[in-house]
Amino acid sequence: MKTLVIAEKPDMGRNIASAIEPKAVNKRSYLEGESYIITWAIGHLIELAEPDQYDEKYKKWSIDHLPIIPDTFKLVPNPRTYDQLKVIAELAKKCDKLVNACDAGREGQHIFSLIQRHLGLQHPVKRLWISDLTSETIRTGFETMKDGSEYENLTRAARSRSEADWLIGMNGSRAFTTKHNVLLSVGRVQTPVLALIYDRQKQIEAFSSLKFFELEGHFTQGDTTYKGMWQGERMTDKEKVEALAAKVKGKPGRIVSYEVKDTKEYPFKLYDLTLLQREANGKFGFSAKKTLDTAQALYEKHKVISYPRTNSNYVTEQNIPEMHRSLSALQGTAYNELVQGANRNLVHKNNKSICNPSKVEDHHAILPTNRKASGLNPDEQKLYDLIVRRFLSQFYPPAEYKMHTVMTEIEQEMFKTTVKELLQLGWKVIYADQKKEKAKSSKGKDKEEEEEEEVEVNEPFSVDPQADVMCSDAIVKEKDTQPPKHFTEGTLLKAMESAGKQIEDEELRDAMKDSGLGTPATRAATIERLKKVGYVDMQGKKIVLTQKGRMAVELIRGAGIELLTSPEMTGQWERRLNEISRGTASDEQFMLNVKKFATLIVNKVRVQARASKTAFEGETPQAQGGKRGSAKSSAATASRKKQGEESVGNGASSTIKPQAAKQPDGSPSLLAACPRPGCGGSLFMGRKGYGCSHYKEGCKFVIWKESFGRSLTDTQIQALVQKGKTAKLKLVLADGTSVDGRIVLKDPQSGELGTETE
């Protein structure tokens, strides 16, 4: 008898047939060869049954019928694809073995498992697990297939994910909808993602801009000219800054210290799906879904990239020869010149920034295959170009720089200069032809972002630390702290990947991938779902919360179900699913906890006060920062209070709480309660400092980020506010001397800092 191969989609089935059964006869819904019959699902052929298929009473939505917790979940065919399911059932009768050739990931495993369970297929199963659809890879995959039983843990994880989403979504959505008479969608992943957007929106509305002044010194030494920023606590008094400028302008000075350090910048990591989606959003404005669909076409239709739904930025030792073959295949293409300049010796199994098998689980990073690209549409070409350039950069050496740090003293005032002198372009030559495009796009950036204190130069730079310096000019610059930024799809994807945590450390960020919100394959669908149910609108690239989205979060939190909006908790669920797939956690225990939580949701909503219908009305405000909230949102809050909704409590009409989660893209964050006695405000992080949300009410508390030679972190700010001092740090005093000590909060009224040295 023959072996039945079940692929996930028709294109994949035809690719497999052309590789293993090139003479197979096309029977429209399957291909039949000598040894194999190849057919396919069309996405999900089988679904979890709706509640009314357990009991007729569930046809009517009523909170009295909740929670709905089936003892055993029923499976039903998708009526739109039922004919294809019948084809698979008939073909299975003619075969004695099965090959699961669905996508090599959790969802692909789930699709095959549902078909197998619903049709009661008892055949022995082999698993095809491949990362690209070239004929060579498919044939190799068939030669190295493992028994389906080796993927049983992955099947358990996939089933748990599906049933958990059903329990939370079905019970949560029905409970909130019936209680508040408005269709409210609730989900295990979508709700905490919505909460991330909500919290950011609240920060934007609560933000008050702080005006401050910087002093830039212009210095000359012989033929050399350079600029430096005045070092000290930045001032909000313009007259004092102008007096300082007058004090130093035209005066001689000296170089207190001059350090030169060689540095290297290595190529960025290879792409995983989330990183590719983020960059395509930032560079081309692609939505997460558009990037995924385009990447899927490059993989399935054109076969020019490897499997895109990966969460890894690394490859295994087996991929190194493939990378070299792909490099050779790029010869004679538009990338020929870059291929000629590539150093093949840089890509080898001991290069841990590329080859790290411990960080590759289901699939390696996205790579170009050894098939030459042709017939790509413009969007496919853009995405392919991103992937190829990132791939080529791994074959180039690091960019090399000299970092010059100059401390210049004029009239006992200290100025700091940082110059980054380019020595070797290295891998950045890959992007040299895109510099004009980058410069063009930077024009839209905030005023503070336009001028970085670090200056990059291409020509040699040096100063003589022994020679005199003249301050030729001193310019006062007026600036404002910037409000938090609205999420874009790119920055929201980054937040989802790290479950809302701002993580600068690469190792920690990698570790968080197991406990992000959703998976690389499902994040785009989650964002699309939020748009579809009317919780968010797009204003250009910005994601803006609607009034309905705002109320959904406030009602969920107000019901006392904070966990349902918690990115960290949902991230931990995702981690548990990953542990189930590895066999290190129990799917039964996971589902028991989910059932308890679904019951808790219903019980909390049952006793909640009903929201006014008008609370969900109101236009989406225009995306803009720095205001205390629009009249519409204020009116909506007043309306809710009038309707007796004070009982909603947490988050419904209260101010933002201290200690909110840090933001994942480095934009300003709500951090802690203002330490000024009796203030009651909250500290927000701008690009340059930390100010109080009650600034307009007269609170002048501010801590500047750059203090005593340190760029203070969120953790250090919290230590200053809560404990009065930081841990021991390397500090630079006003006279330029380096010491070991602690930064202390000298004055809780103003935020003035001092040092404590030993």
Side-chain angles (χ1 to χ4, degrees):
M1 293 181 81
K2 296 180 181 180
T3 298
L4 179 62
V5 179
I6 302 175
E8 187 164 324
K9 296 171 188 167
D11 273 355
M12 181 182 261
R14 286 188 273 270
N15 286 329
I16 291 170
S18 67
I20 64 166
E21 287 278 15
K23 295 180 181 179
V25 179
N26 189 342
K27 302 287 184 78
R28 199 175 67 81
S29 53
Y30 65 96
L31 294 136
E32 184 164 359
E34 288 183 16
S35 302
Y36 295 98
I37 300 175
I38 301 100
T39 189
W40 42 81
I42 306 169
H44 283 267
L45 299 181
I46 308 294
E47 301 170 341
L48 294 179
E50 291 290 313
D52 59 61
Q53 289 170 297
Y54 294 92
D55 192 315
E56 281 287 317
K57 70 180 182 183
Y58 295 136
K59 279 189 175 177
K60 182 184 178 185
W61 285 30
S62 168
I63 201 164
D64 295 332
H65 296 155
L66 302 179
I68 305 168
I69 300 177
D71 292 329
T72 304
F73 282 84
K74 292 182 180 179
L75 302 180
V76 294
N78 181 337
R80 289 170 299 180
T81 54
Y82 185 60
D83 288 346
Q84 186 62 21
L85 182 66
K86 285 198 293 185
V87 168
I88 294 174
E90 289 303 313
L91 292 174
K93 293 174 185 175
K94 297 163 57 177
C95 300
D96 61 351
K97 290 190 284 292
L98 299 178
V99 172
N100 175 2
C102 293
D103 276 1
R106 191 167 76 188
E107 283 312 295
Q109 192 70 17
H110 189 48
I111 286 170
F112 179 85
S113 169
L114 289 173
I115 294 169
Q116 192 182 23
R117 282 166 54 202
H118 181 71
L119 296 179
L121 304 180
Q122 300 298 318
H123 307 57
V125 177
K126 292 284 187 180
R127 182 55 157 118
L128 178 68
W129 195 275
I130 53 176
S131 286
D132 68 62
L133 292 176
T134 58
S135 295
E136 182 185 351
T137 300
I138 291 169
R139 283 192 288 269
T140 303
F142 267 82
E143 290 165 7
T144 57
M145 288 191 296
K146 295 179 181 177
D147 285 337
S149 59
E150 294 194 33
Y151 296 86
E152 191 53 41
N153 288 326
L154 186 61
T155 303
R156 287 195 184 97
R159 180 173 179 171
S160 297
R161 193 280 310 158
S162 174
E163 293 177 358
D165 285 351
W166 192 98
L167 286 167
I168 300 302
M170 203 64 72
N171 286 291
S173 298
R174 287 189 173 217
F176 280 102
T177 296
T178 53
K179 170 57 75 171
H180 301 292
N181 271 341
V182 174
L183 188 59
L184 294 173
S185 176
V186 172
R188 181 182 66 89
V189 176
Q190 78 170 48
T191 300
V193 174
L194 179 64
L196 284 176
I197 299 166
Y198 173 92
D199 289 339
R200 177 67 61 87
Q201 186 99 11
K202 293 287 278 185
Q203 291 173 37
I204 292 167
E205 291 168 1
F207 180 84
S208 296
S209 182
L210 298 172
K211 194 178 295 296
F212 65 95
F213 301 90
E214 290 184 345
L215 180 60
E216 181 183 81
H218 292 214
F219 309 110
T220 58
Q221 186 189 69
D223 294 332
T224 302
T225 62
Y226 63 97
K227 299 174 184 177
M229 300 305 297
W230 178 72
Q231 299 299 289
E233 303 220 359
R234 289 191 195 87
M235 290 186 276
T236 53
D237 187 328
K238 189 175 183 180
E239 289 183 6
K240 285 185 180 178
V241 185
E242 287 174 341
L244 196 59
K247 174 184 174 184
V248 298
K249 186 174 179 179
K251 301 291 174 60
R254 67 189 182 99
I255 292 176
V256 174
S257 68
Y258 175 40
E259 292 181 6
V260 182
K261 185 170 67 173
D262 289 330
T263 63
K264 294 181 179 181
E265 288 185 17
Y266 289 87
F268 296 126
K269 287 184 194 172
L270 292 164
Y271 285 121
D272 61 9
L273 177 60
T274 303
L275 185 56
L276 181 65
Q277 288 170 316
R278 283 165 43 196
E279 295 210 0
N281 179 253
K283 192 164 185 178
F284 310 129
F286 287 4
S287 69
K289 183 179 186 299
K290 181 173 182 175
T291 299
L292 176 56
D293 291 346
T294 306
Q296 200 69 23
L298 291 172
Y299 165 65
E300 280 184 13
K301 180 182 173 185
H302 300 288
K303 308 178 195 62
V304 293
I305 67 167
S306 62
Y307 185 72
R309 297 169 184 248
T310 175
N311 69 345
S312 178
N313 306 100
Y314 299 91
V315 302
T316 66
E317 294 175 9
Q318 290 75 29
N319 302 128
I320 298 297
E322 293 173 22
M323 291 181 71
H324 285 268
R325 284 195 291 274
S326 296
L327 180 68
S328 298
L330 290 168
Q331 289 176 338
T333 69
Y335 305 99
N336 188 63
E337 192 177 330
L338 295 173
V339 173
Q340 300 307 318
N343 181 352
R344 292 172 178 268
N345 295 328
L346 293 173
V347 176
H348 54 81
K349 66 181 182 181
N350 295 319
N351 183 342
K352 292 302 178 189
S353 64
I354 301 171
C355 182
N356 193 335
S358 67
K359 293 184 177 179
V360 180
E361 290 186 10
D362 293 347
H363 293 282
H364 56 71
I366 302 171
L367 300 172
T369 66
N370 57 15
R371 175 175 287 217
K372 281 185 165 58
S374 63
L376 305 187
N377 68 34
D379 288 340
E380 290 168 348
Q381 183 59 51
K382 286 177 182 176
L383 206 64
Y384 181 66
D385 185 66
L386 276 185
I387 293 163
V388 170
R389 287 178 189 265
R390 181 61 62 92
F391 165 79
L392 286 170
S393 69
Q394 311 304 312
F395 290 88
Y396 277 75
E400 296 182 21
Y401 297 90
K402 275 191 188 297
M403 295 294 294
H404 303 261
T405 306
V406 187
M407 299 297 294
T408 306
E409 186 183 54
I410 310 285
E411 296 290 306
Q412 288 81 51
E413 301 296 341
M414 201 68 63
F415 292 81
K416 183 180 181 180
T417 303
T418 306
V419 175
K420 187 178 181 182
E421 178 192 345
L422 176 65
L423 301 177
Q424 295 288 338
L425 201 53
W427 62 273
K428 292 189 177 182
V429 72
I430 301 285
Y431 301 95
D433 62 335
Q434 300 184 339
K435 278 192 173 177
K436 287 182 182 176
E437 186 182 333
K438 286 183 181 177
K440 193 175 174 183
S441 69
S442 70
K443 287 183 181 177
K445 289 186 178 180
D446 292 331
K447 192 165 63 176
E448 284 184 299
E449 289 183 65
E450 287 175 6
E451 296 176 29
E452 295 294 332
E453 291 179 19
E454 181 185 277
V455 179
E456 186 169 332
V457 297
N458 293 327
E459 63 278 354
F461 173 85
S462 68
V463 294
D464 181 354
Q466 307 304 321
D468 291 338
V469 175
M470 178 63 70
C471 179
S472 57
D473 203 355
I475 297 173
V476 175
K477 297 188 171 186
E478 182 178 307
K479 297 198 171 184
D480 296 287
T481 54
Q482 297 300 308
K485 289 181 173 58
H486 285 274
F487 278 118
T488 63
E489 289 203 26
T491 57
L492 183 59
L493 284 166
K494 186 176 181 183
M496 291 169 75
E497 187 175 47
S498 58
K501 284 183 173 290
Q502 178 183 323
I503 302 170
E504 300 302 329
D505 184 89
E506 277 197 9
E507 292 297 319
L508 282 177
R509 194 158 57 228
D510 283 342
M512 278 300 294
K513 283 188 175 184
D514 272 357
S515 53
L517 299 178
T519 66
T522 60
R523 287 176 189 137
T526 299
I527 296 172
E528 291 302 311
R529 175 73 179 160
L530 292 175
K531 297 176 192 175
K532 186 177 178 182
V533 298
Y535 287 161
V536 301
D537 281 340
M538 298 301 298
Q539 292 181 6
K541 284 187 183 180
K542 295 174 180 175
I543 299 173
V544 182
L545 195 70
T546 65
Q547 182 61 22
K548 184 179 180 183
R550 181 188 297 264
M551 277 305 297
V553 175
E554 292 181 353
L555 288 170
I556 291 165
R557 286 180 170 166
I561 319 167
E562 190 75 23
L563 286 180
L564 189 52
T565 63
S566 166
E568 288 188 43
M569 173 57 68
T570 307
Q572 289 304 318
W573 283 20
E574 200 65 53
R575 180 188 289 267
R576 192 54 46 85
L577 288 168
N578 281 305
E579 289 170 351
I580 292 167
S581 71
R582 296 185 200 115
T584 58
S586 163
D587 55 325
E588 291 179 1
Q589 185 60 50
F590 173 79
M591 289 307 300
L592 186 64
N593 290 338
V594 171
K595 289 172 182 177
K596 286 179 181 175
F597 189 53
T599 303
L600 173 73
I601 292 170
V602 172
N603 291 340
K604 292 280 190 181
V605 176
R606 190 171 272 124
V607 297
Q608 186 178 30
R610 175 168 289 176
S612 152
K613 266 202 170 182
T614 58
F616 298 91
E617 297 168 1
E619 293 179 23
T620 305
Q622 287 297 307
Q624 55 187 11
K627 295 191 175 180
R628 295 290 281 174
S630 66
K632 281 174 186 160
S633 66
S634 299
T637 302
S639 168
R640 290 196 296 278
K641 285 186 176 179
K642 190 175 178 183
Q643 298 295 331
E645 281 187 51
E646 288 87 343
S647 60
V648 170
N650 291 344
S653 57
S654 58
T655 57
I656 302 172
K657 293 177 283 187
Q659 304 294 353
K662 301 170 190 175
Q663 296 304 323
D665 62 355
S667 61
S669 305
L670 173 67
L671 216 61
C674 177
R676 182 169 162 265
C679 172
S682 302
L683 295 189
F684 291 88
M685 185 185 87
R687 277 184 59 80
K688 299 278 183 171
Y690 300 79
C692 179
S693 61
H694 285 186
Y695 177 76
K696 285 187 177 176
E697 286 85 349
C699 181
K700 298 277 178 71
F701 184 91
V702 60
I703 296 176
W704 298 108
K705 192 169 185 178
E706 300 289 337
S707 298
F708 301 105
R710 305 287 306 191
S711 181
L712 295 177
T713 66
D714 292 352
T715 303
Q716 288 161 350
I717 294 294
Q718 287 175 326
L720 281 166
V721 169
Q722 293 161 7
K723 301 175 186 174
K725 63 177 71 175
T726 65
K728 192 181 285 187
L729 303 166
K730 290 272 186 191
L731 306 176
V732 179
L733 301 181
D735 61 3
T737 58
S738 296
V739 297
D740 289 333
R742 303 172 195 272
I743 301 175
V744 298
L745 182 61
K746 280 174 64 175
D747 185 357
Q749 288 281 346
S750 65
E752 182 186 356
L753 302 178
T755 59
E756 183 182 273
T757 57
E758 296 173 4

